[in-house]
């Protein structure tokens, strides 16, 4: 019962209505409206996997699931199983559903990385033969088609022929007795063809009167000449109906034969539609998938500082009575958490902007006490957290910024709002207590179930005869009806903890309490609230409570399992900001809010005089803490912005550096291309010079000209031969020059040049002063070279020259390559010679060409036999280093160039 109450208090049905608007089928809408909460974490994990994979498909182009043609056929399947007769509309709905399911499976099978959806789609059996048979027998108007059976086709042919005969006879009567009929019309009454006849002239057309108009002026008469034909038509109609029923009966039996598979198909399609609705709702909500935090290793429960002395006395007479408890492995993280119903209200109902809250709860925290002003957002925070836990448990995304980390709660229980009832004689206080009692009853039953299912969770308890019953049934984790809850509460009685100060094993429950202890005397209410929260710290995984009691704010400093939080209040605007502040207790600001809501100022001022001084001091301290918190948050935001700017600047610098590197690489490539082109051009010019020398008389003048041309080529293409750029003359001030003094931001006139101490006199305005040479610059920004800079540059040049000399001495001298020039002395023409004669000539020529290092052998192309013989001889000659065919300019395949050793 309390679980169902919690769903109502958190407005879960309203969220389900919003979810249903994203469903594509009636099946999905019904499933969303009655969305069940899973009983185990494994079920939640499966639902969450379905939502995540569907979310991926919805984000891909052309990957969204299509539910076209799928209809709710559950009622039709039940009637078919009970041997009922399905109509043409129902059969056609079954066929379109089969086709839609097949298309859905085809979409899923064509996608990658969706194993959960593929496992679901593999369960779909779409029976294409049944779909084809239905479409063969039922047309688009959901009527049995003529092609269903030959007998039905024959009956309808006879009916059309008979109808044409009846129409022919009646048309003749209408033309002959046009004065007696009301209008030229053939209609039907009671399934028989009749014509409208004027009442005064009914005797003009003898026949059977089947009906009359409301005024009695028109009678609908069946002429005697068509009575027998109409009787035959009625017989054909009965035969047609019988045959149509036979066709639909056969199709119904085929549907009933595969009903289990069709039931499974409906379940799978509904599951997929619900997953798609969750994915689309999450996308609209800008939500993120939750990650569930597991429990860690057992630890000793913390002690209450106020009771340490009592425990020390007890430990002297007994062994340690503490139990092991299990904290979460990491903190609960829900940043920028938004209430989904408020987001819907803002988007669809023109509501106010939603203010997100940050929930970051340490793994050891069991109770969070939220304080602050009325209308400040404390209750909304409770509902937001409760809905987030329910959505995560139901396999939905949570409207928070990544990462979304929270435990899987087996129970989510809430006491929110006023349960005051005149019919049940419940006051505000008694209503809260009744509801809290039901919450504690569920927690007590869960504690017993946890103790039965967990072994080695608590340390051995010695010197005590108290034992826990192990005969209670396993805990029920699903949402149950009030009858089931009452039955279970009778079967599992509440058993207290075995030791007074030893906490029981903690079930994974979330408890939300609004205005705990309110509605009664403040001193008694606060005492009851403290005891209740201490009990819940032992029996629930997390409790979040709102309160105005100052005593609850001090629990944090007495027990490490407690934490304070408050909703912020802006003292300047006298308005709540709805932001949640952690670690700082809040101020109620009741008088300020009462004044803002319109209470007489005189009453508020009078009430202010009755507020105790201590309370006022506490409020001032809290106000100071809030102000300090706001300053630190402002600085944190500024630091974050500075960090973002720094990261942006780093990215820009990195991009520019990468661009410069790419530019440098392109320049190197361009330089290499230019060098290669220059080398090619130089080679071409050198080759021309060589050919000129070879073709003409080799005189000293020609050799001198060739040498000068080679020098010009080297000066043109070799960077080392080019004149170095003249160094830029350095700036040195002279008398009368205008200079700038950057340190003073002034422009001055030089009165005297720099002396031995590098000082010079300058004047700006009416002032004269002496400045150092290094403190000035020219008007175009040039700096003068001081003696220290010149000495440093000279030292660097000397060091560089010394290093180059050492490197040159260390490296072996490299021989300068010589250019091989073809002349008559290192060339031999063997064209027309035999191979044996050629070998003798080649051997003689090789001996003469040793001083040249290269020999050109002209053997011609011809059949290639002489060239092959020459190459075979050269390959085995001891003086030959290598040989190759000459370039095309020097003869190509008709000339071989031989390089000697």
């Amino acid at each position: 019962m309390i679980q169902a109450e919690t769903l109502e208090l958190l407005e879960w049905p309203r969220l389900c209505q919003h979810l249903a608007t994203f469903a594509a089928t009636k099946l999905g809408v019904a499933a969303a409206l009655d969305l069940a909460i899973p009983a185990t974490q494994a079920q939640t994990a499966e639902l969450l996997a379905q939502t995540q994979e569907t979310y991926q498909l919805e984000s891909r182009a052309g990957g969204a699931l299509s539910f076209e043609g799928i209809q709710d056929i559950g009622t039709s399947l039940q009637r078919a199983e009970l041997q009922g007769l399905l109509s043409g509309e129902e059969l056609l709905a079954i066929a379109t559903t089969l086709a839609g399911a097949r298309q859905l499976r085809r979409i899923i099978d064509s996608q990658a990385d969706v194993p959960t959806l593929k496992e679901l789609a593999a369960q779909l059996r779409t029976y294409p033969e049944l779909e084809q048979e239905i479409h063969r027998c039922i047309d688009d108007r959901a009527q049995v088609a003529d092609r269903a059976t030959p007998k039905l086709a024959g009956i309808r042919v006879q009916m059309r022929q008979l109808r044409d005969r009846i129409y022919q006879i009646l048309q003749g009567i209408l033309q002959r007795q046009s004065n007696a009929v009301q209008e030229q019309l053939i209609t039907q009454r009671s399934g028989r063809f009749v014509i409208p006849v004027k009442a005064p002239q009914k005797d003009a057309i003898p026949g059977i009167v089947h009906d009359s108009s409301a005024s009695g002026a028109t009678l609908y008469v069946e002429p005697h000449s068509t009575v027998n034909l109409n009787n035959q038509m009625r017989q054909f109609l009965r035969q047609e109906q019988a045959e149509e029923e036979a066709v639909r009966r056969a199709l119904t039996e085929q549907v009933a034969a595969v009903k289990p598979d069709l039931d499974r198909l409906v379940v799978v399609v509904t599951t997929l539609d619900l997953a798609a609705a969750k994915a689309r709702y999450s996308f609209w909500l800008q939500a993120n998938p939750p990650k569930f935090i597991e429990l860690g290793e057992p630890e000793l429960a913390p002690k209450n500082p106020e009771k340490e002395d009592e425990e020390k006395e007890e430990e002297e007479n007994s062994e340690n009575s503490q139990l092991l408890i299990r904290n979460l492995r990491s903190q609960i993280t829900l940043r920028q958490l938004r209430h989904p119903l408020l987001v819907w209200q803002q988007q669809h109902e023109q509501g106010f902007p939603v203010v997100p809250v940050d929930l970051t709860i340490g793994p050891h925290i069991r109770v969070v006490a939220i304080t602050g002003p009325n209308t400040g957002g404390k209750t909304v925070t409770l509902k937001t957290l409760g809905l987030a836990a329910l959505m995560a448990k139901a396999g939905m995304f949570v409207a928070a910024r990544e990462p979304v980390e929270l435990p899987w709660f087996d129970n989510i229980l809430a006491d929110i709002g006023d349960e005051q009832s005149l019919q049940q004689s419940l006051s505000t206080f008694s209503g809260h207590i009744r509801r809290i009692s039901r919450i504690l009853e569920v927690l007590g039953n869960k504690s017993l179930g946890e103790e039965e299912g967990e072994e080695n969770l608590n340390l051995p308890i010695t010197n005590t005869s108290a034992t826990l019953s192990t005969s209670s049934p396993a805990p029920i984790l699903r949402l149950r009806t009030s009858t089931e809850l009452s039955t279970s509460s009778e079967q599992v009685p509440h058993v207290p903890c075995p030791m007074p100060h030893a906490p029981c094993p903690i079930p994974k429950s979330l408890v939300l309490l609004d205005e705990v202890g309110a509605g009664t005397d403040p001193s008694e209410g606060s005492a009851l609230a403290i005891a209740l929260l201490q009990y819940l710290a032992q029996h629930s995984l997390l409790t979040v409570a709102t309160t105005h009691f100052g005593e609850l704010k001090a629990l944090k400093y007495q027990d490490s399992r407690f934490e304070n939080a408050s909703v912020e209040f802006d003292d300047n605007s006298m308005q709540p900001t709805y932001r949640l502040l952690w670690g700082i207790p809040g101020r109620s600001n009741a008088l300020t809010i009462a004044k803002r809501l319109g209470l007489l100022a005189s009453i508020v001022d009078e009430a202010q005089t009755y507020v105790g001084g201590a309370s006022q001091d506490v409020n001032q301290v809290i106000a100071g803490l809030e102000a300090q918190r706001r300053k630190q948050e402002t600085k944190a935001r500024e630091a974050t912005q500075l960090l973002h700017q720094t990261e942006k600047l780093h990215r820009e610098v990195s991009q520019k550096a990468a661009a410069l590197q790419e530019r440098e690489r392109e320049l190197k490539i361009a330089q290499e291309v230019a060098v290669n082109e220059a080398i090619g051009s130089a080679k071409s010019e050198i080759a021309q010079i060589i050919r000129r020398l070879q073709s003409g008389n080799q005189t000293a003048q020609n050799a001198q000209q060739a040498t000068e041309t080679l020098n010009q080529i080297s000066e043109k293409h070799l960077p080392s031969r080019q004149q170095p750029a003249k160094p830029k003359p350095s700036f040195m001030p002279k008398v009368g020059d205008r200079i700038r003094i950057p340190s003073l931001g002034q422009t001055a006139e030089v009165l005297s040049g720099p002396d031995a101490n590098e000082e010079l006199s300058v004047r700006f305005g009416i002032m004269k002063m002496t400045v150092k040479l290094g403190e000035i610059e020219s008007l175009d920004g040039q700096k003068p070279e001081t003696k220290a800079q010149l000495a440093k540059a000279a030292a660097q040049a000397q060091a560089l020259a010394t290093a180059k000399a050492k490197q040159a001495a260390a490296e072996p001298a490299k021989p300068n390559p010589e250019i091989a020039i073809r002349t008559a002395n290192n060339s031999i023409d063997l064209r027309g010679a035999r191979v044996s004669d050629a070998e003798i000539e080649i051997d003689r020529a090789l001996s003469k060409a040793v001083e040249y290092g290269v020999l050109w052998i002209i053997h011609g192309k011809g059949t290639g036999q002489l060239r092959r013989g020459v190459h075979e001889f050269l390959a085995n000659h001891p003086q030959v280093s290598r040989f190759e065919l000459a370039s095309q300019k020097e003869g190509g395949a008709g000339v071989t160039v031989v390089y000697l050793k």
Side-chain angles (χ1 to χ4, degrees):
M1 179 178 178
I2 187 62
Q3 289 93 335
E5 284 186 57
T6 297
L7 295 181
E8 292 292 337
L9 293 174
L10 296 177
E11 299 182 90
W12 177 254
R14 187 179 166 198
L15 185 141
C16 293
Q17 292 176 0
H18 297 169
L19 175 64
T21 61
F22 292 89
T25 66
K26 292 183 178 179
L27 295 169
V29 170
L33 292 175
D34 193 23
L35 186 61
I37 307 297
T40 63
Q41 187 172 350
Q43 295 175 353
T44 296
E46 183 177 359
L47 294 176
L48 194 57
Q50 296 172 5
T51 305
Q52 288 177 311
E53 293 178 6
T54 310
Y55 188 93
Q56 295 175 6
L57 294 184
E58 294 290 333
S59 303
R60 298 174 185 172
L65 299 181
S66 173
F67 297 88
E68 184 179 359
I70 296 176
Q71 303 181 40
D72 185 2
I73 59 175
T75 305
S76 302
L77 296 179
Q78 291 179 359
R79 289 209 300 115
E81 186 181 28
L82 297 175
Q83 298 181 352
L85 183 62
L86 299 182
S87 64
E89 290 83 359
E90 292 174 316
L91 291 169
L92 199 59
I94 292 174
T96 57
T97 300
L98 291 174
R102 188 181 305 109
Q103 176 66 18
L104 190 61
R105 184 179 62 190
R106 189 177 295 113
I107 293 175
I108 295 175
D109 290 340
S110 65
Q111 300 295 326
D113 303 329
V114 285
T116 304
L117 297 184
K118 287 187 177 181
E119 184 178 354
L120 277 174
Q123 304 176 28
L124 292 174
R125 296 194 61 185
T126 56
Y127 291 100
E129 65 280 358
L130 176 58
E131 175 195 347
Q132 294 173 3
E133 182 66 14
I134 292 176
H135 282 301
R136 188 185 70 82
C137 298
I138 307 296
D139 59 19
D140 295 337
R141 296 173 298 130
Q143 302 295 325
V144 180
D146 294 350
R147 60 180 176 271
T149 62
K151 182 178 179 181
L152 179 61
I155 292 173
R156 289 181 175 175
V157 169
Q158 293 178 347
M159 289 177 64
R160 284 192 290 271
Q161 295 174 353
L162 186 59
R163 185 182 297 108
D164 292 341
R165 289 180 57 191
I166 294 174
Y167 264 74
Q168 184 178 4
I169 295 173
L170 293 180
Q171 286 290 350
I173 295 174
L174 288 175
Q175 292 176 2
R176 291 193 302 270
Q177 303 292 337
S178 59
N179 295 329
V181 298
Q182 192 73 24
E183 58 179 323
Q184 297 290 324
L185 175 69
I186 299 175
T187 184
Q188 283 186 329
R189 290 293 185 274
S190 301
R192 305 179 73 88
F193 292 98
V194 297
I195 56 178
V197 180
K198 298 176 181 177
Q201 301 184 16
K202 62 178 181 179
D203 295 334
I205 302 177
I208 302 172
V209 178
H210 288 278
D211 197 4
S212 63
S213 63
S215 62
T218 303
L219 301 177
Y220 294 95
V221 178
E222 178 187 6
H224 289 306
S225 57
T226 61
V227 171
N228 291 332
L229 296 178
N230 273 324
N231 291 338
Q232 295 179 20
M233 180 63 70
R234 294 296 297 272
Q235 292 177 359
F236 284 137
L237 284 174
R238 284 193 292 270
Q239 294 176 11
E240 180 189 29
Q241 292 174 357
E243 191 63 22
E244 288 179 351
E245 289 182 1
V247 172
R248 289 190 285 116
R249 174 71 62 187
L251 293 176
T252 302
E253 291 175 354
Q254 294 183 38
V255 171
V258 295
K259 178 182 179 295
D261 292 334
L262 297 185
D263 284 337
R264 183 59 187 167
L265 180 143
V266 171
V267 172
V268 172
V269 169
T270 304
T271 303
L272 293 173
D273 190 17
L274 186 57
K278 293 177 182 178
R280 293 163 185 162
Y281 182 52
S282 301
F283 184 82
W284 174 85
L285 201 58
Q286 296 181 357
N288 289 294
K291 177 183 178 182
F292 293 111
I293 308 172
E294 300 296 335
L295 291 174
E297 296 299 325
E299 300 177 0
L300 285 175
K303 298 180 180 180
N304 191 332
E306 295 182 353
K307 300 182 180 181
E308 284 186 355
D309 296 336
E310 298 178 4
E311 291 185 358
K312 289 180 180 178
E313 294 178 0
E314 292 178 0
E315 288 175 357
E316 292 177 357
N317 301 323
S318 63
E319 296 182 4
N320 187 2
S321 62
Q322 280 189 295
L323 294 182
L324 288 174
I325 64 172
R326 300 173 66 184
N327 291 326
L328 297 174
R329 293 186 182 273
S330 60
Q331 66 179 8
I332 299 175
T333 304
L334 296 170
R335 292 188 176 91
Q336 299 294 303
L337 179 63
R338 293 166 291 134
H339 195 297
L341 301 183
L342 294 181
V343 175
W344 181 278
Q345 184 176 345
Q346 176 190 359
Q347 297 291 335
H348 292 83
E349 302 173 8
Q350 303 300 321
F352 295 101
V354 180
V355 179
V357 296
D358 291 334
L359 297 176
T360 306
I361 304 173
H364 64 283
I365 299 299
R366 290 286 182 266
V367 178
V368 177
I370 303 178
T371 54
N374 294 301
T375 69
K378 300 189 299 295
T379 304
V380 174
T381 301
L382 290 184
K383 290 187 175 182
T384 305
L385 175 59
L387 277 180
L390 284 174
M391 293 173 68
K393 193 173 180 181
M396 303 169 65
F397 289 7
V398 178
R401 192 182 68 189
E402 285 188 312
V404 179
E405 298 177 342
L406 72 165
W408 188 88
F409 297 105
D410 55 7
N411 269 315
I412 301 170
L413 310 169
D415 173 32
I416 300 175
D418 192 353
E419 203 182 3
Q420 183 180 13
S421 174
L422 295 177
Q423 296 178 351
Q424 301 180 17
S425 300
L426 291 176
S427 65
T428 299
F429 178 73
S430 59
H432 280 295
I433 295 302
R434 292 281 292 272
R435 190 180 286 161
I436 291 174
S437 298
R438 293 193 291 271
I439 291 175
L440 298 181
E441 181 182 356
V442 174
L443 293 180
N445 294 341
K446 291 299 297 177
S447 294
L448 288 176
E450 293 287 339
E451 290 174 3
E452 293 169 10
E454 297 185 8
E455 297 180 1
N456 301 327
L457 183 62
N458 37 340
L459 292 175
I461 303 174
T462 59
N463 298 332
T464 178
S465 60
T467 57
L468 295 179
S469 172
T470 58
S471 60
S472 59
I476 301 176
L477 298 180
R478 61 182 177 86
L479 293 177
R480 298 171 291 179
T481 62
S482 57
T483 305
E484 290 174 314
L485 284 173
S486 61
T487 304
S488 64
S489 62
E490 293 174 359
Q491 293 174 347
V492 185
H494 175 67
V495 178
C497 291
M499 298 297 294
H501 307 301
C504 291
I506 298 178
K508 298 168 65 174
S509 298
L510 171 64
V511 180
L512 306 172
L513 302 177
D514 188 25
E515 301 294 349
V516 57
T520 186
D521 179 78
S523 60
E524 295 182 354
S526 62
L528 182 62
I530 292 174
L532 175 62
L533 294 182
Q534 288 178 342
Y535 178 87
L536 291 175
Q538 299 175 353
H539 290 78
S540 67
L541 183 58
L542 178 63
T543 300
V544 182
T546 65
T547 181
H548 289 284
F549 294 136
E551 292 81 358
L552 270 64
K553 304 174 185 177
L555 289 176
K556 171 186 176 180
Y557 308 103
Q558 302 172 5
D559 193 333
S560 61
R561 297 175 297 174
F562 285 73
E563 180 59 278
N564 283 332
S566 61
V567 287
E568 188 181 34
F569 187 82
D570 191 350
D571 293 327
N572 297 325
S573 63
M574 295 300 173
Q575 297 278 348
T577 63
Y578 305 106
R579 293 178 62 245
L580 197 63
L581 304 178
W582 287 90
I584 299 178
R587 298 170 290 159
S588 295
N589 292 297
L591 300 182
T592 303
I593 293 176
K595 186 175 182 179
R596 181 172 63 85
L597 294 178
L599 191 63
L600 291 175
S602 58
I603 297 177
V604 176
D605 295 339
E606 181 69 17
Q608 190 70 41
T609 61
Y610 298 118
V611 177
S615 176
Q616 188 68 22
D617 294 340
V618 170
N619 285 337
Q620 291 179 357
V621 172
I622 294 176
L625 290 174
E626 291 178 353
Q628 186 178 4
R629 175 72 170 266
R630 283 193 293 270
K631 290 181 180 178
Q632 293 186 356
E633 288 180 348
T634 302
K635 292 181 179 179
R637 284 195 299 270
E638 293 175 352
T640 302
Q641 293 177 357
L642 182 60
L643 177 61
H644 291 165
Q645 293 175 358
T646 304
E647 292 176 348
K648 181 180 179 182
L649 181 61
H650 180 267
R651 287 194 297 270
E652 293 177 354
V653 172
S654 300
Q655 292 173 358
K656 290 182 179 179
L660 288 175
Q661 292 177 356
E662 181 65 20
R663 177 62 178 165
E664 182 180 359
R665 189 181 67 84
E666 293 176 355
L667 289 175
K668 286 183 178 179
I669 294 175
Q671 289 175 356
E672 290 178 1
V673 172
V675 169
N676 290 332
E677 291 178 353
I679 292 174
S681 177
K683 286 183 177 180
S684 176
E685 295 178 8
I686 292 171
Q688 292 178 4
I689 294 172
I690 293 173
R691 282 195 294 272
R692 263 199 324 269
L693 289 174
Q694 294 174 347
S695 61
N697 296 326
Q698 301 176 7
T699 63
Q701 183 178 2
N702 292 338
Q704 181 64 27
Q705 291 178 355
T707 303
E708 293 177 357
T709 305
L710 289 175
N711 291 333
Q712 292 175 1
I713 294 172
S714 63
E715 291 176 0
K716 178 181 178 181
H717 297 289
L718 295 179
S720 60
R721 299 290 185 91
Q722 297 176 2
Q723 293 294 330
K726 295 183 179 179
K728 185 177 180 181
S730 60
F731 167 69
M732 182 59 63
K734 296 179 293 184
V735 177
D737 288 350
R738 302 287 295 179
I739 53 95
R740 182 183 295 108
I741 307 175
S743 60
L744 301 178
Q746 297 289 336
T747 302
E749 180 184 356
V750 178
L751 298 179
S752 64
D755 56 13
N757 297 326
E758 295 187 339
E759 293 182 349
L760 65 158
S761 299
V762 297
R763 178 178 62 192
F764 53 92
I766 60 174
M767 295 183 60
K768 295 182 180 179
M769 64 182 301
T770 301
V771 296
K772 290 286 187 180
L773 186 61
E775 296 177 355
I776 67 172
E777 64 181 16
S778 66
L779 296 182
D780 58 356
Q782 296 183 31
K783 292 286 187 180
E785 289 187 355
T786 62
K787 293 180 179 179
Q789 293 175 345
L790 292 174
K792 183 178 179 180
Q796 291 178 349
Q798 182 64 27
L800 182 60
T802 304
K804 288 185 176 180
K806 291 181 178 179
Q807 183 178 3
E811 293 180 354
K814 298 181 180 179
N816 293 325
E818 297 181 356
I819 300 175
I821 300 176
R822 181 178 174 184
T823 64
N825 295 327
N826 59 1
S827 298
I828 181 175
D829 191 353
L830 300 178
R831 286 178 291 189
R834 296 178 181 275
V835 175
S836 57
D837 298 336
E839 290 178 354
I840 298 172
E841 294 295 331
I842 292 172
D843 187 76
R844 187 181 298 112
L846 288 175
S847 301
K848 295 179 180 180
V850 171
E851 62 184 56
Y852 299 99
V854 63
L855 175 66
W856 274 265
I857 302 176
I858 304 172
H859 45 65
K861 297 179 182 179
T863 61
Q865 183 176 1
L866 179 59
R867 181 179 68 250
R868 286 193 295 272
V870 169
H871 287 180
E872 291 176 359
F873 177 78
L874 294 175
N876 299 319
H877 200 283
Q879 288 183 275
V880 176
S881 173
R882 61 185 178 90
F883 60 88
E884 61 185 10
L885 293 177
S887 63
Q888 291 296 329
K889 296 179 180 180
E890 296 178 341
V895 179
T896 296
V897 182
V898 184
Y899 297 91
L900 305 182
K901 294 182 180 179

